[in-house]
Amino acid sequence: MIEIALCDDNAEDIEKLKSFAERFAAEHSEFPIRLSAFISAAELLKHIEENSGFDLYILDVQMPEISGIQLAEAIRSRGEHAEIVFLTISSDYAVDAFSVYASGYLLKPLCKDRFDETVLRAVQKLAREKNEVLAVKTKSGLRRIQLHNIVMIESFNHTREITMTDGGTLETPSTLSKLFEQLREHGSFFIPHRAYIANLDNSVGIVRYELLMLGNRRIPIPKNQFAAVQEVFSNYFFR
């Protein structure tokens, strides 16, 4: 079951959002979905504290008292690895979205085609994460790692180091090319530098010649590849 939370303080907008979400759930019966709607950030936070979190949050950016960005920060502070999509009247908030590892944003007034495309991408990712793992060889034997927990893989000194979202690392003798063959079909993994594999889902941003990753990790980008890497990054989050 994929739990989705909708939060918007505008009554008209929340009804439209609920309608789109209900139609999406009906049209995509391959994904068991449960919807919950909230008219304020405070109401959603109270629910999370008293019950549990959600798999996907669709949050209005501009809400009184607690903004959508602040709400997302509170959600992330709980350690939740949920998908977050922002509703906004301006793409200017896209930069802020990276600070809370948002998977995208929807411009108001809402368009059903764009809504369906964005939510489907998030739901497909959640469905994969619930089931997909990477099996790697280590000195102590074979280990299975959930893909969404991988931040990056670095190759050095004839070994590969896998960095996880909890800050831990794992070493494997498997080659970078072999690991990438196992990961490339999942869409979020790519090679920004010949010695690295990055998981875009755990990236924070991109600056001149560096890809910023979760946990203050940085991946260098060759100058002659920066434009191409920047395009991959932009297309992944804003396609």
Side-chain angles (χ1 to χ4, degrees):
M1 180 67 69
I2 294 176
E3 302 275 357
I4 301 178
L6 315 172
C7 187
D8 195 313
D9 66 305
N10 183 289
E12 183 177 340
D13 285 346
I14 194 69
E15 287 303 317
K16 189 173 186 179
L17 190 60
K18 284 168 60 179
S19 174
F20 281 3
E22 288 168 355
R23 288 166 63 186
F24 176 89
E27 293 166 2
H28 293 277
S29 56
E30 69 272 25
F31 302 112
I33 292 172
R34 180 182 293 125
L35 300 169
S36 298
F38 302 88
I39 200 66
S40 73
E43 183 184 4
L44 174 53
L45 281 176
K46 182 180 179 182
H47 176 92
I48 293 172
E49 291 168 0
E50 294 179 351
N51 299 279
S52 61
F54 293 83
D55 298 304
L56 169 60
Y57 293 88
I58 303 179
L59 312 174
D60 183 25
V61 168
Q62 294 178 298
M63 292 188 287
E65 297 182 4
I66 304 174
S67 71
I69 300 294
Q70 292 171 320
L71 176 56
E73 289 172 346
I75 291 168
R76 288 293 186 231
S77 70
R78 290 167 46 85
E80 291 192 28
H81 190 79
E83 293 295 296
I84 296 175
V85 173
F86 286 116
L87 306 171
T88 175
I89 59 173
S90 171
S91 58
D92 291 343
Y93 290 99
V95 174
D96 294 329
F98 286 127
S99 67
V100 289
Y101 319 116
S103 55
Y105 65 93
L106 293 166
L107 288 176
K108 292 184 177 184
L110 288 176
C111 164
K112 186 177 185 301
D113 288 343
R114 175 64 176 163
F115 176 90
D116 287 352
E117 176 188 337
T118 302
V119 173
L120 179 60
R121 187 166 67 243
V123 168
Q124 286 174 331
K125 177 175 176 292
L126 286 164
R128 289 196 304 267
E129 289 176 352
K130 288 177 181 289
N131 299 294
E132 294 183 346
V133 297
L134 173 69
V136 295
K137 293 180 180 179
T138 69
K139 290 181 180 179
S140 59
L142 197 64
R143 288 281 301 274
R144 298 172 76 249
I145 309 169
Q146 289 188 310
L147 297 189
H148 70 268
N149 284 332
I150 298 174
V151 175
M152 56 189 276
I153 304 174
E154 181 180 3
S155 178
F156 63 95
N157 295 334
H158 306 292
T159 190
R160 264 50 60 191
E161 182 178 86
I162 303 173
T163 299
M164 314 299 290
T165 53
D166 63 2
T169 59
L170 185 69
E171 290 188 356
T172 175
S174 296
T175 65
L176 207 65
S177 59
K178 184 175 181 179
L179 290 168
F180 189 60
E181 281 301 313
Q182 296 175 266
L183 295 168
R184 67 189 309 163
E185 66 183 75
H186 304 289
S188 66
F189 293 90
F190 88 117
I191 298 177
H193 181 288
R194 63 185 178 86
Y196 295 85
I197 297 174
N199 182 359
L200 281 174
D201 288 334
N202 289 319
S203 64
V204 179
I206 187 169
V207 296
R208 200 67 174 169
Y209 309 131
E210 286 186 318
L211 183 62
L212 310 181
M213 306 299 294
L214 191 69
N216 295 318
R217 300 299 298 270
R218 293 170 178 256
I219 296 177
I221 304 171
K223 291 183 179 180
N224 63 348
Q225 295 181 31
F226 181 75
V229 172
Q230 188 176 42
E231 183 177 3
V232 169
F233 183 87
S234 298
N235 288 342
Y236 186 77
F237 287 102
F238 302 111
R239 60 190 172 187

